[in-house]
Amino acid sequence: MCKLPLHHAVLALLTEGKSHGYELKGRFEEAIGPQWGGLNIGHLYQILDRLVRDGFVTRSQVAQPDRPDKTLYQLTPAGQQEVREWATSAWVRTGGFRDELFLKLFGARALGAEALEEFVAAQRQTYLSELAGLTRLRRTHTGDPLVSLLLDAAIGHTKADLGLVEGAAVRLAPAAGRGGTAADGDSEEVSRRRPA
């Protein structure tokens, strides 16, 4: 059983029939849209090799008179069953909520109220810029419902992150204190004790 989502996405693409690597790459990028990003062709061929090895896909060669032979990939019954089980089962988050945003909030709070305010303002502006870009993309990708859905999800996530960072400014401000490092505090204490 393959465990990686991209492997399953390739199996899903192959449910439409035999394809070669560059066709699969183009169809993936068209189907999923610009928010996901491109699919590296070298990585795609590694995925296909693994799917062949695992018995989910077969590989055949088609002779071309004026070019090198074309390699075609086709789903096997085991591959059909694998993609059906994957596509119809619920997705469960396994990695927790690790996000650098929380580490940055931790660091800014440790530096003090001014650093926290500076980070929140910068992050807020970044999210507002992302929302503007995503909204423009959404207006230009109305023809494919899956791409539209992915863009709607990206907009929703970004709005949620914006709300979180704006709330963090209020909730973390009392804990931020005046900031500074332990080393700074030690040197101030030493200078206070030093006779004039």
Side-chain angles (χ1 to χ4, degrees):
M1 175 181 262
C2 52
K3 301 277 188 193
L4 302 170
L6 271 180
H7 290 59
H8 287 107
V10 171
L11 291 176
L13 288 168
L14 286 168
T15 61
E16 298 175 22
K18 291 181 184 180
S19 292
H20 63 80
Y22 280 96
E23 283 176 334
L24 292 169
K25 173 180 164 51
R27 287 191 5 239
F28 175 86
E29 291 169 356
E30 183 181 333
I32 301 300
Q35 255 328 95
W36 185 275
L39 182 58
N40 179 285
I41 192 67
H43 185 216
L44 174 59
Y45 280 118
Q46 289 176 347
I47 290 170
L48 288 165
D49 286 345
R50 172 139 186 209
L51 293 173
V52 168
R53 187 197 72 200
D54 292 347
F56 297 134
V57 170
T58 59
R59 179 178 13 221
S60 60
Q61 300 293 321
V62 176
Q64 299 186 107
D66 56 345
R67 289 190 235 160
D69 291 351
K70 184 188 288 188
T71 303
L72 288 178
Y73 298 89
Q74 184 173 13
L75 208 56
T76 64
Q80 183 74 40
Q81 180 63 30
E82 176 69 18
V83 72
R84 172 164 288 288
E85 288 175 11
W86 169 75
T88 58
S89 62
W91 175 71
V92 178
R93 185 184 308 277
T94 56
F97 289 91
R98 292 183 178 192
D99 191 323
E100 189 177 351
L101 172 65
F102 297 104
L103 297 179
K104 285 184 166 284
L105 285 167
F106 168 75
R109 184 187 72 171
L111 291 172
E114 187 178 319
L116 180 62
E117 287 172 23
E118 186 178 339
F119 170 68
V120 166
Q123 193 63 48
R124 182 177 189 280
Q125 188 55 51
T126 297
Y127 285 144
L128 290 172
S129 296
E130 283 181 14
L131 280 172
L134 287 166
T135 303
R136 282 192 300 275
L137 266 178
R138 179 64 177 86
R139 282 195 295 265
T140 61
H141 287 83
T142 56
D144 187 321
L146 183 60
V147 173
S148 297
L149 189 63
L150 183 59
L151 287 166
D152 287 345
I155 289 168
H157 281 284
T158 306
K159 284 180 177 178
D161 286 342
L162 177 61
L164 181 119
V165 84
E166 288 174 341
V170 174
R171 293 171 67 181
L172 297 179
R178 67 171 183 77
T181 63
D184 292 340
D186 292 346
S187 61
E188 287 174 20
E189 183 64 30
V190 168
S191 63
R192 275 197 296 257
R193 288 188 202 161
R194 202 176 286 150

